Amino acid sequence: MMRLPKFAYHVPRTVADAVKMMGDAGPEGRFVAGGTDLYPNMKRRQQAPRTVISVTRLAELNRVEGDGREGLRIGAGVTLTDLCEHPTVNRDYPEVAAAARTISTPILRNMGTVGGNLLLDTRCNYYDQNYEWRRAINFCLKKDGDVCWVAPGSSKCWAVQSSDLVPLMVAVGARVKLVSTLGERTVEAAGLYNDDGIDYLHKRPDELLAEIQLPARNGWRATYKKLRRRGSFDFPVLGVAIRLDMEKGGEIKDAKIVLGGIAPAPMEVKEAAAALVGGALEDERMREAAEACYVRARPLDNTDFLMNWRKQIARPYVLRALEELRRGGE
Ligand SMILES: Cc1cc2nc3c(=O)[nH]c(=O)nc-3n(C[C@H](O)[C@H](O)[C@H](O)COP(=O)(O)OP(=O)(O)OC[C@H]3O[C@@H](n4cnc5c(N)ncnc54)[C@H](O)[C@@H]3O)c2cc1C
Ligand code: SF4
């Protein structure tokens, strides 16, 4: 049985107390929400914080406010189950509820939160193993070792950003509010991710993710498609998120296509968006966009399925997502 290491556990009631506790804990501190990512990682000794600060009792992080007209503010501590079932989310942002429904299992969604999902550790077959397994291969660059087993000549870790909400949040242009003892700042979700499997967030460890802000629903459509081995539950090994801004006549005036589950950060494919903008959602444009995604997608051999097959499957998944958006506009 894998056991948790010893740690001090704090449950603050206000955001001010939470960030103060984190300031006091220093580099040995870590926030925890549902713990569905952090606690397994601690059991595997991938992370071993001395102080764990729970965000579950912070009322400010447990609210959903606003609507599609003004934009939606989702507290980072809202559970995935509450997100999936929230009436305003289902009415005004159904693609967000649908993407959340594909995450893990009902029991894990009862614990797992939106914030934890956005800040998920990157994943790799050589890393998501227990301590003894990792020791048997002399560990790897991401933790305790000095070689990357996926790309042995590489000085970079290629562990994969594997959240289902991240590509969609980036595609729709969500923003996130971060709070620390130094104050607060709000940044684009797109700017939160760094293309490095070890240093995967542009966020200081002492910053608390407080809120996710979705833009007002002024005519854009979006969708998310996920490739996984088991339909019941599995991490994405390819995610396709698309947002389209369309004129009344059907002309696309702006588009964003983001691929997840294939690199250390979500990947925006600008060439695919460029293929769509300026015309209607016609077969030829859709094929060009799918081809652009196929060219840019370069998954490595560190998650499920053969990497070449995952690259090829990017085409039909992008086409499937665009088809759905086209049908939604009829
Ligand atoms: C069997 C299994 C299957 C899964 N399948 C999927 C899947 O299909 N898709 C998917 O996307 N995920 C999946 N997950 C991962 C996980 O369950 C979800 O991503 C979940 O949303 C994580 O949320 P959490 O609250 O439990 O995060 P936690 O474990 O509490 O935290 C995750 C990370 O975020 C940090 N953190 C959490 N909240 C905050 C905050 N407010 N401010 C600052 N830092 C914070 C923690 O320090 C930690 O580093 C799976 C997990 C398991 C165990
Ligand atoms: S990509 Fe390389 S360094 Fe990163 S976790 Fe996998 S084996 Fe380790």
Side-chain angles (χ1 to χ4, degrees):
M1 192 215 289
M2 290 194 291
R3 290 183 191 281
L4 282 169
K6 286 209 162 81
F7 58 92
Y9 183 66
H10 298 299
V11 188
R13 304 295 168 127
T14 66
V15 167
D17 282 351
V19 295
K20 161 108 185 29
M21 284 173 185
M22 183 54 85
D24 293 345
E28 298 286 350
R30 195 101 188 185
F31 290 117
V32 69
T36 63
D37 184 49
L38 183 67
Y39 290 143
N41 283 2
M42 288 174 67
K43 287 181 179 177
R44 295 188 290 246
R45 303 302 190 264
Q46 292 156 324
Q47 284 140 25
R50 294 250 178 87
T51 307
V52 173
I53 300 161
S54 169
V55 304
T56 49
R57 299 291 169 87
L58 303 177
E60 282 177 54
L61 268 65
N62 282 311
R63 301 179 192 140
V64 178
E65 292 172 329
D67 58 24
R69 264 182 309 175
E70 60 175 88
L72 198 70
R73 297 176 299 285
I74 304 169
V78 169
T79 66
L80 295 168
T81 298
D82 286 345
L83 184 76
C84 293
E85 292 175 355
H86 198 281
T88 313
V89 178
N90 277 287
R91 186 192 64 203
D92 295 350
Y93 299 89
E95 59 289 284
V96 172
R101 257 178 234 119
T102 72
I103 297 171
S104 54
T105 66
I107 293 168
L108 286 162
R109 290 198 293 274
N110 289 342
M111 291 301 296
T113 62
V114 180
N117 191 256
L118 263 59
L119 301 178
L120 199 62
D121 193 5
T122 51
R123 297 182 58 80
C124 170
N125 287 343
Y126 294 91
Y127 171 71
D128 293 303
Q129 305 289 348
N130 66 34
Y131 183 83
E132 289 70 24
W133 194 103
R134 291 187 296 117
R135 188 176 57 189
I137 60 161
N138 209 13
F139 304 102
C140 78
L141 217 52
K142 184 158 160 71
K143 178 79 176 121
D144 299 329
D146 52 16
V147 68
C148 170
W149 296 110
V150 175
S154 170
S155 57
K156 172 179 160 177
C157 165
W158 297 89
V160 178
Q161 212 299 323
S162 304
S163 150
D164 284 300
L165 286 179
V166 166
L168 187 59
M169 292 297 170
V170 172
V172 304
R175 295 170 66 79
V176 295
K177 187 163 102 183
L178 302 167
V179 186
S180 72
T181 50
L182 302 177
E184 62 179 61
R185 62 187 181 117
T186 302
V187 298
E188 298 281 336
L192 197 56
Y193 302 98
N194 187 29
D195 194 32
D196 180 312
I198 298 170
D199 189 14
Y200 51 88
L201 291 174
H202 286 299
K203 173 185 107 48
R204 292 195 321 272
D206 65 317
E207 286 182 300
L208 174 84
L209 172 58
E211 186 178 272
I212 297 94
Q213 302 167 353
L214 298 181
R217 194 88 219 198
N218 49 7
W220 53 267
R221 300 174 198 166
T223 190
Y224 174 70
K225 295 277 165 243
K226 166 178 182 173
L227 171 70
R228 57 179 162 180
R229 185 175 288 270
R230 293 170 292 194
S232 53
F233 80 103
D234 251 329
F235 281 92
V237 287
L238 170 71
V240 176
I242 305 184
R243 167 183 166 153
L244 296 180
D245 293 66
M246 298 173 94
E247 306 277 13
K248 280 228 159 50
E251 182 175 314
I252 299 168
K253 50 179 191 190
D254 200 6
K256 207 178 248 195
I257 303 194
V258 180
L259 304 180
I262 53 162
M267 181 188 288
E268 184 181 346
V269 186
K270 293 202 165 138
E271 303 84 333
L276 296 174
V277 172
L281 204 45
E282 294 150 354
D283 290 354
E284 185 52 34
R285 285 173 185 279
M286 286 162 57
R287 273 198 296 273
E288 256 183 66
E291 190 62 23
C293 290
Y294 163 76
V295 170
R296 282 290 305 284
R298 289 193 197 96
L300 289 175
D301 195 12
N302 58 350
T303 60
D304 200 2
F305 293 126
L306 292 175
M307 59 184 184
N308 288 341
W309 184 76
R310 277 164 63 213
K311 179 176 173 63
Q312 284 173 32
I313 213 79
R315 273 197 204 103
Y317 266 62
V318 171
L319 281 175
R320 205 177 288 178
L322 287 170
E323 270 301 348
E324 184 185 295
L325 291 170
R326 181 157 70 176
R327 278 199 309 275
E330 281 163 7

